[in-house]
Amino acid sequence: MVSGGTYGTEDIVHGAGYGRAILILLLTPLLWSLPTAFMIGELSSALPYEGGYYAWVRRAMGNFWGFQEAWLSLVASIFDMAIYPTLFVLYLDRLFPWFQQGHRGLYVGMAVVVACALLNIAGVKVVSHTSLWLFFALSAPFLAIVCIAPFKLGALAVATNPSRSDVGILTGLLICMWNYMGWDNASTIATEVEKPQRTYPRAMLVAVFIVAISYIVPVAAMWMTGLPASSWDTGFWADIAGILGGPLLRFGLALGGMISGFGMFNALVMSYSRLPLAMAQDGMLPKIFGKLHPKSKAPWVAIAVLACFWMPCLLLGFERLVTLDILVYGTSLFLEFLALAVLRFTEPKLRRPFKVPGGRFGAIAIGIPPMLLLGFSIVRSEHESILGMSSFAFGMILIAAGFVAYALNHAVKPAGWTQPKPKPQPAA
């Protein structure tokens, strides 16, 4: 749910150059991923509830902010989920340019949404097994690139022409942040994970290291070949594979890019669909969103409704989707770090099998680096436009709409919602 492989990192190299790209890929997990993984490790081990981060924020700060956390996460998912079918189509175009004509690519993206929705309705076990095999398949072409690149030292300095991409270093940084985000998505299915108190912290810390290595090593390998950074753009890994290993490797990597987009979307449908389920169980959404499939027990109504919102954003384009995704997601992430700190003060005796070191100061300080990085998304969003306004203004409207949605929800259900889940017993 965090990484679909090295696919999607091309614009980081184009915008920053090799040296700075590797530096960004190295520092971002330390300043962005590791603090988030520590925060998720503590909260998921202490409160392994269905709905994950929504349940944590509601527990720490009450119904209003719990609702805002869920709202922001669902709004961010609209843009985030459109990215993966977009990547699927971009790599498909590298193999078959025929799909670039007319609306053919859009229809393919919509087909990906429908297919993954149906696969998720089939059940969590199907999704998890599919995603595991997809991971192995998409990693193989990059291993081949890393093995071949040392034999091409400096040989690709004039191999390609500069791309027409206008991505700069700031957009490259945001794309890197997007590639390293999503650690909290796994928390929404905590009740479906065996021994979550032990599993989550260990998985988070190991995953940060594995994901960073999978991004940095292939980029460093291509730096040795002398291939100009100006040649890179989204989907360019397929062309690199063709230059190094011929048509067969090019086909394999482009197919891997399609697999990556499909696999990530497939896994994230499972995560995001649990938010409406948890909210419906708490009374914050109509009960129909809590309706489960009789055989698979998947929240099929929530999956179907979310799919209808994901499809229209397929027209926005990769860079704009990333900018909006980071902006809205970052606001929800801020609430999660705030919940971590608040619970240290309000529930100091809460049993925490995994704990962020440094006491209360550590719980507060760990959220500072990710929030500083989010400032770059605000700067970049001022230069993107959507519906005749800046992406920042559009994002602020979406965030403010959560306040209106809460008021309407509360007006329709004046009797209130169910109480937060009972508190776990403190350690003896």
Side-chain angles (χ1 to χ4, degrees):
M1 297 180 184
V2 177
S3 170
T6 315
Y7 303 96
T9 59
E10 297 96 329
D11 285 323
I12 304 172
V13 178
H14 179 95
Y18 284 106
R20 286 182 293 183
I22 291 175
L23 185 63
I24 289 172
L25 288 168
L26 183 63
L27 292 179
T28 301
L30 298 178
L31 300 176
W32 173 258
S33 301
L34 199 58
T36 303
F38 268 90
M39 178 265 290
I40 301 301
E42 175 169 326
L43 292 178
S44 61
S45 66
L47 304 170
Y49 295 151
E50 191 85 60
Y53 42 84
Y54 148 72
W56 307 335
V57 174
R58 188 185 181 206
R59 170 74 166 263
M61 296 181 286
N63 285 337
F64 176 80
W65 291 112
F67 185 91
Q68 300 310 313
E69 172 68 14
W71 171 267
L72 291 168
S73 299
L74 289 173
V75 170
S77 82
I78 294 175
F79 306 111
D80 186 51
M81 294 297 276
I83 293 173
Y84 304 103
T86 299
L87 283 175
F88 182 96
V89 173
L90 285 171
Y91 278 97
L92 178 65
D93 290 345
R94 297 280 173 166
L95 291 179
F96 307 105
W98 179 82
F99 285 99
Q100 298 177 8
Q101 302 174 20
H103 298 293
R104 293 167 182 168
L106 175 62
Y107 297 146
V108 171
M110 295 172 66
V112 171
V113 174
V114 173
C116 290
L118 293 175
L119 188 56
N120 269 264
I121 291 174
V124 172
K125 184 174 291 187
V126 173
V127 175
S128 60
H129 288 179
T130 302
S131 298
L132 179 62
W133 285 109
L134 290 179
F135 171 77
F136 290 120
L138 64 89
S139 300
F142 288 101
L143 180 60
I145 287 176
V146 171
C147 292
I148 296 173
F151 297 98
K152 301 284 186 178
L153 290 176
L156 304 183
V158 292
T160 61
N161 297 318
S163 76
R164 292 177 292 179
S165 173
D166 59 354
V167 170
I169 187 171
L170 185 55
T171 303
L173 174 60
L174 293 184
I175 292 173
C176 185
M177 292 168 63
W178 169 73
N179 274 279
Y180 277 116
M181 79 179 199
W183 304 97
D184 49 356
N185 287 323
S187 69
T188 62
I189 54 171
T191 59
E192 300 166 63
V193 175
E194 185 178 352
K195 298 180 180 178
Q197 288 87 352
R198 296 180 56 191
T199 302
Y200 274 105
R202 294 179 180 181
M204 292 291 170
L205 297 178
V206 172
V208 169
F209 175 77
I210 293 175
V211 171
I213 292 298
S214 71
Y215 291 161
I216 293 171
V217 172
V219 172
M222 291 313 302
W223 193 7
M224 295 189 306
T225 68
L227 184 68
S230 59
S231 301
W232 293 59
D233 61 3
T234 308
F236 188 62
W237 277 116
D239 294 340
I240 290 174
I243 295 170
L244 290 178
L248 184 60
L249 185 57
R250 184 178 188 273
F251 178 84
L253 198 138
L255 181 62
M258 296 163 59
I259 291 172
S260 172
F262 185 93
M264 286 294 293
F265 188 93
N266 189 38
L268 287 170
V269 171
M270 178 176 64
S271 172
Y272 284 125
S273 63
R274 268 53 183 181
L275 271 178
L277 170 64
M279 294 176 73
Q281 292 172 343
D282 289 342
M284 288 188 175
L285 285 179
K287 291 183 178 179
I288 191 172
F289 285 94
K291 195 172 181 63
L292 303 179
H293 190 275
K295 292 185 178 180
S296 66
K297 305 303 179 183
W300 68 272
V301 173
I303 292 172
V305 172
L306 287 174
C308 293
F309 281 96
W310 293 329
M311 286 187 188
C313 290
L314 296 174
L315 296 169
L316 291 179
F318 182 67
E319 287 83 11
R320 187 180 288 117
L321 285 170
V322 169
T323 301
L324 286 168
D325 186 18
I326 292 289
L327 181 64
V328 181
Y329 168 80
T331 309
S332 70
L333 189 64
F334 169 75
L335 292 179
E336 294 171 34
F337 277 108
L338 190 59
L340 173 71
V342 168
L343 286 171
R344 284 293 189 93
F345 286 89
T346 59
E347 299 188 42
K349 295 184 179 181
L350 178 66
R351 184 175 180 273
R352 295 171 171 88
F354 176 84
K355 196 171 184 179
V356 173
R360 291 176 176 176
F361 173 79
I364 296 171
I366 200 171
I368 295 176
M371 295 305 105
L372 291 177
L373 281 179
L374 286 172
F376 291 108
S377 70
I378 297 175
V379 175
R380 184 67 184 90
S381 63
E382 289 285 2
H383 302 284
E384 290 275 7
S385 62
I386 181 171
L387 299 178
M389 68 183 78
S390 70
S391 294
F392 177 76
F394 184 72
M396 290 302 102
I397 291 173
L398 293 176
I399 292 171
F403 291 67
V404 177
Y406 177 87
L408 292 174
N409 191 305
H410 197 65
V412 170
K413 196 176 180 67
W417 301 309
T418 60
Q419 294 299 312
K421 297 175 177 64
K423 301 177 181 180
Q425 294 296 318

